Amino acid sequence: MTNLVEMPIEALAPLIEAGEISPVELVSRMLERIEALNPAINAFITIDGKNAMLAAEAAEKEIMAGAYRGPLHGIPYSLKDIYATLHLPTTNGSKADLDYVAAYDSTVARRLKEAGAILLGKVNMHEYAYGVTNDNRYFGPVHNPWKPGWIPGGSSGGSGAAVASSLSTFSMGTDTGGSIRIPAAACGVVGLKPTYGRVSKFGVTTLSWSLDHAGPLTKTVKDSAYVLNALAGYDRLDQDTVFYPVEDYTEWLEKDMHGMRIGVIGNLGDRLTADVQAAFDETIERLLKLGAIIIPVNVPSLKYVKNSHLTITRAEAASFHQNKLKTQLASYGEDIQDIMLSGEFILATEYLQAQKVRRLIQQDFNRAFEQVDVIVTPTLPAAGAAIGQQMIAYPDGSQESVLDAMIRFTSPFNLTGAPAITLPAAVSPEGLPIGMQFATAPFEEKKLLQIACQYELACAFNQQPPLELTV
C-alpha cells in the first residue's frame, strides 16, 4: 500500500468506509509526520492533536456502526489560520491577534465537521492574507517542501506546504488575488477557487470583502470536488452567498473533453520564464490530443486589471482594519503596516472608478466565455522565488516584482468572481512545480472540474517533493 499519509481522499475514502483503514491510525500517523517535518517547513501555527485523536476515535465508532457520512468522514485536514474556530486561536498570522479565540465556528469549519472531516490544526499564512510569499514576520516564513529556502506562495502558504508534504490530506485556504492558486501551483498541488458566493465566508477574516473567496487545496481534482460538495451552498450568515443549485461536482469527472473549446488569451501577457513557456506549450499539445479545440480570445480591458485590483483591495482592507490601525498598528508587520495605511489615502472617487472598470473586465470575460468553455493560462509566470527575493527576471531582460508576477494570471478571476483551478503540470530544472490554471464562467464548476480532471489524467503528474523523512 502507498504510504498512508500520502494518499488522496479519493483513495482513502473507500478504504475507510470498508473498515480497511482506521481514522485513528491515519490521524495518528499524520500527527507523527507533523511532529517530524513541521519544524523544518513551518506550515502549522497551532496543532490540535488531542482533539484530532478524539474526533478520529468518534469517526471510527460511527463508521463501524454503519453511520458513514461520506468521502470526508475520517479525513484529516487543516485550516488556514484565518477561519474562526471554537476553542482554537485564530491568529490571522499576526501578533495583533495572538489571543483571539472565536466563540463560534466559521461556516466552513462547521460544514466540514458535519461531513466528518477531522481538524488537525491551523496553518501559517501571510499576515492578514495580504501577500504572496508567506514570509510571515512573527511566525516565520513557510518553506516550500520542494526546495527549502524558497517561498511556498501565499497567502495560503501553510496550506500549500501542508498538503504537498502530506502533513494534511487537504487544507482550506482563501483567495483574494490568487492566494489559493499561487501556493497550490508553487507547491505542486491542486487549488480551487470556486465562484464568488458559492462557498460561505462567514467566520473568515476579511481582506477585501468583494474579492475574497474560500476554497480547498487538495492532492487531486476529485478531492477538490469532494470538498466542494461538502461546502457549496447558500448560508444565511453570509450575505454574499447566493441561492444557486448545488450540484454533485464529481458527476462529470470521467467525461472526456472531446470538442471542448479551450480559450487562450492573446493579450494576457507573454512574459514567462523559459520553463513555464515550455510547460504551457506542452499543455496546449495535451489538450489538442484530448480532442479539445484551441481558440484565441481577447479581453480588451485586461490592461486595467492590476490597477483595479490594487485599488479595490487596498481600500477595502484599510476600511476593515481601520480601528485596529489606530490602536494596534505596532503589532502589524512593517510590510503590512505600509500596505494597510496606503489604503486610507485612496479617494472614494478612485475606488468607485476601480469598481466601474471591474465591471468592464467582467463583461469582457463574459463575452470570452460565450466563445469558449474554459480559459487556460499558466498559473504563475515563473516557477517560484527564493524567500526574500524581490524581482522575477524574464528571458527578454525585463523584470517584474514578485507580487505583480504571482498575481498576474490569477487576479483577473477574483475581479470577475469566476471559478478557477490550478493543478501541477511539470517540474522546473530547479526542482520546483509548475502549475496550469483553468477558468470557466461563473457557477460552471462541474465543467471546470471535468476538464481539469481529464487534463490531470493526461498529465499523470505523480512527483512528490524530495522530503528526506517518510512516516
Side-chain angles (χ1 to χ4, degrees), residues 9-10 12-14 16 68-75 115 226-227 229 250:
I9 299 169
E10 61 177 291
L12 289 168
I16 290 173
Y68 182 65
R69 302 188 195 183
L72 300 188
H73 203 173
I75 300 294
Y226 282 141
V227 178
N229 277 349
T250 66

Side-chain angles (χ1 to χ4, degrees), residues 218-234:
T218 62
K219 292 178 177 293
T220 68
V221 173
K222 191 171 187 178
D223 283 11
S224 288
Y226 282 141
V227 178
L228 186 59
N229 277 349
L231 297 178
Y234 174 75

Side-chain angles (χ1 to χ4, degrees), residues 379-382 392 394 400-410:
T379 312
L380 308 175
I392 300 289
Y394 298 107
E400 186 177 25
S401 74
V402 170
L403 172 61
D404 288 347
M406 295 293 108
I407 68 171
R408 177 152 40 103
F409 296 127
T410 56

Side-chain angles (χ1 to χ4, degrees), residues 277-304:
Q277 183 66 65
F280 185 62
D281 292 343
E282 188 175 0
T283 290
I284 298 302
E285 290 301 315
R286 284 197 186 104
L287 293 170
L288 288 169
K289 288 178 182 178
L290 289 169
I293 302 166
I294 305 299
I295 300 175
V297 294
N298 189 41
V299 181
S301 58
L302 204 57
K303 59 188 175 183
Y304 303 122

Side-chain angles (χ1 to χ4, degrees), residues 35-175:
E35 183 179 3
L37 290 179
N38 192 62
I41 296 171
N42 197 31
F44 277 82
I45 289 176
T46 302
I47 301 166
D48 193 23
K50 180 179 178 181
N51 285 320
M53 288 304 299
L54 290 173
E57 291 167 4
E60 184 174 87
K61 290 178 182 177
E62 286 184 348
I63 294 165
M64 290 178 65
Y68 182 65
R69 302 188 195 183
L72 300 188
H73 203 173
I75 300 294
Y77 81 102
S78 58
L79 280 172
K80 183 178 183 177
D81 205 6
I82 198 171
Y83 287 87
T85 44
L86 186 66
H87 305 314
L88 276 182
T90 301
T91 71
N92 297 300
S94 179
K95 181 181 178 181
D97 289 329
L98 284 180
D99 300 322
Y100 173 62
V101 179
Y104 59 91
D105 275 331
S106 59
T107 296
V108 162
R110 177 177 57 79
R111 288 183 175 175
L112 289 173
K113 187 182 296 182
E114 290 169 352
I118 297 170
L119 179 62
L120 297 169
K122 312 284 280 292
V123 288
N124 205 338
M125 55 182 283
H126 207 109
E127 186 175 4
Y128 288 115
Y130 212 156
V132 299
T133 65
N134 215 133
D135 188 357
N136 189 292
R137 302 304 169 91
Y138 185 79
F139 292 102
V142 177
H143 289 261
N144 193 317
W146 291 80
K147 192 170 184 178
W150 285 64
I151 66 169
S155 62
S156 310
S159 294
V163 176
S165 54
S166 297
L167 305 185
S168 179
T169 304
F170 73 95
S171 188
M172 290 302 302
T174 59
D175 193 312

